Amino acid sequence: MLRAIKHAFARRKGGHSPAAPTPVSAERRPASTSTPSPVRSSGSIEFIGVSFPVMWTVADFIATTASLDRVALRLRTEQYATHMRDIMRQFGSKYAPSSPEYQAFKHTSLVCASCGWLFPGSYTLSLIGAVNGYTTVVGATPGYAEFGKTGTCTKCGSEESFLIYQHYKPPSISQADVDAIRRYWRHLAQQWWSNNTSSSTPLCDACNDYVSQAKTYLIGGRLECERCTDKELVDGLNKLRRDPFYFGDMELQKARSFVVGTVG
């Protein structure tokens, strides 16, 4: 995502637009069927089972990241690109690109402040001009082009959102987190099977072998067999400690919250 942001900002400076529609990678079916809405309290929101203090300015947001692992920035959604550019500039001068703090910034999420919808990638990319009327996003969530122009949530009409930042300290990640991610993926696969009405036997999206309902996992929208899932999780603890977002932007927190029962 950060690479796309940098590219989009550079393209804006140069004033270049593609001459013809360019397809980009498709968005797969959502990994989760029930992302909980933010619950607002005095100065904070609760999202995916954890509380985030809410800041109203970029300066306060950045200052808070120095002392807290979780923080949310309330913003007018149409100003997302401006805020991301500002935060990227300040983070770049404050943290090394390989630091946990900078990694957390690279994987911030944008959530509707009213209905709690976690905006898909095509929506946030549209806000920064990485996809537009010249670009066709195959399989993208409908509405991304208009959203990029107005910043208005296509589900509820809200014009405001929360930028969600969560920083993980490597020592706080354990093998229990890897096990939780496996259980969460298995749970998502069970949900997928319960909604699957096709009479044909699905194939593993990784190896193309036929899969059975008893031994499948849903990973980032991909249905995978147990053998391929085992490969995904090889050295999983070290992968997560090096990059807590290795398996997805919110995957670690979703798995943790699923284990304690705050994500269904």
Side-chain angles (χ1 to χ4, degrees):
M1 175 65 77
L2 187 64
R3 186 177 301 170
I5 291 172
K6 289 180 176 178
H7 177 73
F9 290 159
R11 191 177 65 192
R12 281 184 175 184
K13 289 181 180 179
H16 298 299
S17 295
T22 304
V24 298
S25 59
E27 291 175 356
R28 306 299 295 271
R29 55 180 174 266
S32 174
T33 57
S34 56
T35 300
S37 300
V39 178
R40 272 167 282 184
S41 62
S42 55
S44 68
I45 60 167
E46 185 176 311
F47 187 63
I48 311 186
V50 291
S51 180
F52 293 80
V54 175
M55 302 296 124
W56 293 78
T57 68
V58 168
D60 288 342
F61 174 83
I62 292 175
T64 304
T65 63
S67 57
L68 296 180
D69 295 337
R70 294 189 295 267
V71 62
L73 173 66
R74 179 76 178 247
L75 68 152
R76 287 190 62 81
T77 309
E78 65 179 357
Q79 297 175 342
Y80 171 78
T82 300
H83 288 325
M84 287 297 283
R85 186 189 297 111
D86 191 11
I87 296 170
M88 183 169 63
R89 176 180 56 79
Q90 295 190 52
F91 261 65
S93 64
K94 190 173 184 179
Y95 300 111
S98 60
S99 67
E101 293 84 0
Y102 200 84
Q103 285 189 36
F105 165 63
K106 286 165 55 178
H107 295 279
T108 51
S109 298
L110 192 66
V111 178
C112 177
S114 179
C115 69
W117 187 29
L118 182 62
F119 293 122
S122 59
Y123 274 52
T124 52
L125 289 173
S126 185
L127 284 171
I128 62 172
V131 294
N132 49 40
Y134 297 96
T135 306
T136 301
V137 183
V138 181
T141 305
Y144 69 90
E146 185 62 26
F147 181 77
K149 298 174 185 176
T150 66
T152 301
C153 178
T154 56
K155 288 186 179 291
C156 72
S158 174
E159 297 178 346
E160 296 193 354
S161 55
F162 293 110
L163 183 68
I164 303 290
Y165 169 95
Q166 183 158 13
H167 159 220
Y168 299 92
K169 293 182 174 66
S172 71
I173 299 171
S174 69
Q175 182 60 38
D177 289 315
V178 180
D179 297 339
I181 287 173
R182 176 187 284 274
R183 291 199 295 274
Y184 179 59
W185 287 347
R186 176 63 188 141
H187 166 71
L188 295 179
Q190 290 172 325
Q191 287 186 326
W192 184 88
W193 280 101
S194 67
N195 295 322
N196 179 38
T197 58
S198 174
S199 58
S200 60
T201 303
L203 299 176
C204 171
D205 286 326
C207 68
N208 288 326
D209 281 350
Y210 288 106
V211 294
S212 66
Q213 184 171 350
K215 295 184 177 181
T216 48
Y217 300 80
L218 194 65
I219 306 171
R222 305 182 314 277
L223 194 66
E224 295 195 7
C225 66
E226 188 167 51
R227 181 180 59 191
C228 290
T229 301
D230 289 342
K231 291 179 181 178
E232 292 269 4
L233 293 173
V234 167
D235 201 30
L237 178 56
N238 286 327
K239 288 175 180 175
L240 279 176
R241 284 181 171 171
R242 286 193 298 266
D243 179 6
F245 308 95
Y246 182 88
F247 296 113
D249 287 355
M250 306 292 287
E251 211 73 350
L252 176 55
Q253 186 55 53
K254 286 179 180 178
R256 285 178 171 180
S257 297
F258 168 72
V259 168
V260 298
T262 54
V263 169

